[in-house]
Amino acid sequence: MTITEFREIVFSNYRQAGRKFPWRGVKISPGDVSPGDLSPWGVMVSEFMLQQTQTERVIPYWEEWMRLWPRPRDLAKASLEEALRAWSGLGYNRRCCYLKNSAAIIAEEHKDRVPDTPGALRLLPGIGPYIAGAIACFAYNHPSVFIETNIRSTIIHCFFPDRNDVKDSEIFPILEKSLYKKDPRTWYYALMDYGASLKKLTENPSRRSAHYIRQSPFIGSFRQARGKVIRTLVSMGPSKAEEIEMACELSREKLYRVLERLEKESLVAEEKGIYRIKN
């Protein structure tokens, strides 16, 4: 398959079945977006929320979050407890903490403007190569090269139809070569949406990636226990370990392991036996 053929397949699917989300604010055609159509902060919030979370679940959270804190400085002024309350149900609460810390840095050091390059974004808490590239691309149309599961699915399906254990190091050169530099934002939307559509038609191609890891069951996991403790402290306020134990229905041993981890991550603080969400 040539790069020209590949682009036509991906863009054709996007024109017919491209998805619309509130943080995109785009029409289904290359070049239709002007910089003023998008909120870089809204893009950043969406990327933090979308990590390991289904897109449709994110929509109401994103809309409420942007209503409460439409600018980084608004979130920076809020308490962590308020932020976690609005985040409750999305899981991976560290993302919320990282986003709030990033908002404070943006407000103080960047005059409330989200940085516009991957390098500058990587200096913010919780931002790795993918999120940095995605924010720069979707917010500012920066020609980043990055990869996530739907992009991976698209490349594997089109260029490695009979291969297993495909490495990202094999995928990145194709992404670099095929990048539509006139409008990278729309190109990546199209790549992602093509990968998403493949899951409805065939076995998920990303499972043939060398980096594919099947997620462990959530019920009974340490991750579930963390979420229970955070939600309990958000709803009950400062509490003793015994009160948290009863509300969460966790064993004492597991509870203290969770609390210890949350303290190390600066999500929870303890004073004289009372645990609370850290300010």
Side-chain angles (χ1 to χ4, degrees):
M1 180 182 296
T2 68
I3 294 300
T4 300
E5 291 170 335
F6 174 57
R7 282 180 178 167
E8 179 52 36
I9 289 171
V10 172
F11 273 136
S12 177
N13 177 79
Y14 188 61
R15 286 190 292 268
Q16 296 174 38
R19 299 176 296 175
K20 295 183 180 180
F21 300 115
W23 49 84
R24 285 189 177 182
V26 301
K27 298 177 182 178
I28 308 301
S29 180
D32 278 346
V33 183
S34 66
D37 291 331
L38 289 166
S39 158
W41 171 240
V43 170
M44 182 171 173
V45 170
S46 75
E47 289 301 328
F48 269 80
M49 289 184 169
L50 286 164
Q51 295 175 66
Q52 298 176 295
T53 306
Q54 293 179 339
T55 310
E56 296 300 325
R57 284 190 60 220
V58 167
I59 293 174
Y61 284 93
W62 184 89
E63 292 176 335
E64 175 66 5
W65 194 279
M66 295 305 294
R67 184 188 69 79
L68 291 170
W69 304 298
R71 296 160 300 189
R73 66 173 179 265
D74 298 320
L75 178 60
K77 293 175 183 176
S79 69
L80 179 57
E81 187 171 344
E82 289 175 303
L84 286 169
R85 185 177 295 112
W87 190 274
S88 180
L90 278 175
Y92 297 98
N93 291 293
R94 277 176 294 182
R95 294 179 297 170
C96 177
C97 189
Y98 288 143
L99 182 55
K100 187 178 182 327
N101 291 340
S102 291
I105 294 171
I106 292 170
E108 184 175 342
E109 299 181 13
H110 298 276
K111 299 180 180 179
D112 217 35
R113 184 179 184 273
V114 174
D116 58 6
T117 65
L121 286 160
R122 285 289 303 274
L123 299 176
L124 296 174
I127 293 187
Y130 163 73
I131 297 186
I135 294 171
C137 176
F138 297 140
Y140 299 109
N141 224 6
H142 187 281
S144 315
V145 178
F146 57 90
I147 190 169
E148 53 80 69
T149 182
N150 285 321
I151 295 172
R152 189 178 287 115
S153 292
T154 296
I155 300 297
I156 290 176
H157 176 77
C158 292
F159 291 93
F160 304 95
D162 302 314
R163 279 273 311 278
N164 292 319
D165 297 321
V166 180
K167 298 178 180 179
D168 283 355
S169 60
E170 299 175 88
I171 293 175
F172 272 111
I174 297 172
L175 288 173
E176 292 172 350
K177 191 174 181 180
S178 64
L179 179 61
Y180 187 65
K181 293 184 180 179
K182 291 182 179 179
D183 187 358
R185 176 193 290 124
T186 305
W187 172 241
Y188 274 104
Y189 286 160
L191 278 177
M192 289 178 164
D193 289 2
Y194 189 83
S197 67
L198 286 172
K199 296 174 183 178
K200 302 175 183 178
L201 302 173
T202 184
E203 184 179 0
N204 185 356
S206 67
R207 293 180 181 176
R208 295 191 281 113
S209 165
H211 310 281
Y212 177 74
I213 300 176
R214 188 179 296 275
Q215 194 172 48
S216 58
F218 177 71
I219 303 300
S221 67
F222 192 78
R223 183 161 59 94
Q224 184 189 36
R226 286 168 51 98
K228 284 183 176 180
V229 172
I230 290 291
R231 286 194 301 273
T232 296
L233 288 174
V234 166
S235 62
M236 292 173 48
S239 305
K240 296 180 180 179
E242 294 82 359
E243 296 169 329
I244 303 170
E245 181 183 0
M246 289 181 62
C248 295
E249 298 181 342
L250 296 174
S251 69
R252 181 65 59 90
E253 179 186 0
K254 193 167 193 175
L255 173 63
Y256 277 112
R257 284 196 293 119
V258 168
L259 289 170
E260 182 180 11
R261 179 72 61 84
L262 293 174
E263 285 185 85
K264 287 181 178 179
E265 294 171 4
S266 296
L267 281 166
V268 168
E270 181 270 335
E271 185 177 359
K272 297 181 179 179
I274 303 296
Y275 295 86
R276 58 173 175 78
I277 299 298
K278 192 169 183 178
N279 294 326

